[in-house]
Amino acid sequence: MEILFRIFIKDKDNTKWIDNTNQDITLYWDIINPIVNKLTINPNGGKYNDSTSSTEITGETGTKYSIQNNLTRTGYTFTGWNTDANGSGTSYSNGGSITTKSSVTLYAQWKANIYTVQYDGNGATGGSTANSSHTYGTQKALTSNGYTKTNSNFVGWNTKADGSGTSYTDGQSIINLTEEQILVDDKET
């Protein structure tokens, strides 16, 4: 490929421009420092490499990065990366890659875990109580007691059959109890 340039230079007195079209000129390409961009990893409520702070990775424009999941967040499952914290930007999958054309921040995306609370009658003689499904981070009431026991009054739920665990009242609103928790009928005789 041939590229033609029309070059104007100043005369020896530096007073007027002269057309220099008919002269051979050698042009040299001057390599400048490459443009550097940052890839910022934001754990978005979680931890990345055990840190809640954003992590910056610096590289030249056009650098291809593999984006791996080194993330944790209690009660949540990592679902991927996005250029917006709320997930409305460009999405990237875990294990995928991104080639930087400019500085960019990737925000971890999370889905709240769903867990089941199971209710145990703890020697009940009748009735039943349906298990309840809870979403981590969302407050919800425990299922009201449906068990009965002859000569006993229901006083609440407990995480241990002997009543020595954590107690909860009937229908108490809870958040982030634990995953797959079993509550037993805490009877008073």
Side-chain angles (χ1 to χ4, degrees):
M1 176 166 102
E2 184 176 313
I3 300 174
L4 300 176
F5 294 94
R6 186 165 198 176
I7 299 173
F8 294 89
I9 58 173
K10 289 223 174 185
D11 67 3
K12 66 180 180 167
D13 298 324
N14 205 22
T15 58
K16 65 179 179 173
W17 290 99
I18 300 171
D19 185 349
N20 200 24
T21 306
N22 296 324
Q23 295 181 24
D24 289 335
I25 296 176
T26 303
L27 299 175
Y28 296 94
W29 185 269
D30 187 16
I31 307 250
I32 59 172
N33 290 332
I35 298 173
V36 175
N37 293 312
K38 288 187 291 187
L39 173 63
T40 304
I41 303 295
N42 185 311
N44 202 15
K47 288 184 179 182
Y48 180 74
N49 290 333
D50 292 326
S51 173
T52 57
S53 300
S54 292
T55 300
E56 290 182 353
I57 304 166
T58 305
E60 295 179 16
T61 297
T63 299
K64 185 176 184 176
Y65 296 97
S66 176
I67 43 181
Q68 298 296 321
N69 171 9
N70 297 327
L71 295 156
T72 58
R73 185 175 180 189
T74 301
Y76 291 83
T77 300
F78 174 74
T79 62
W81 301 97
N82 198 283
T83 55
D84 282 324
N86 67 6
S88 64
T90 304
S91 294
Y92 296 90
S93 63
N94 182 44
S97 63
I98 181 172
T99 302
T100 58
K101 295 180 181 146
S102 61
S103 292
V104 65
T105 299
L106 293 180
Y107 297 89
Q109 299 299 295
W110 303 99
K111 180 181 178 189
N113 293 338
I114 296 173
Y115 61 96
T116 301
V117 176
Q118 298 175 350
Y119 302 89
D120 183 310
N122 197 17
T125 56
S128 65
T129 302
N131 294 342
S132 56
S133 180
H134 297 259
T135 302
Y136 195 88
T138 303
Q139 196 159 354
K140 183 178 177 181
L142 295 171
T143 303
S144 294
N145 177 44
Y147 291 113
T148 59
K149 186 172 184 182
T150 307
N151 299 321
S152 295
N153 294 318
F154 177 76
V155 295
W157 299 105
N158 197 289
T159 56
K160 302 235 181 208
D162 65 3
S164 65
T166 305
S167 293
Y168 300 93
T169 60
D170 196 27
Q172 180 177 337
S173 186
I174 56 103
I175 187 169
N176 304 341
L177 187 60
T178 63
E179 295 193 24
E180 306 306 320
Q181 181 69 55
I182 298 176
L183 297 181
V184 293
D185 190 346
D186 194 10
K187 300 284 185 200
E188 182 179 278
T189 54

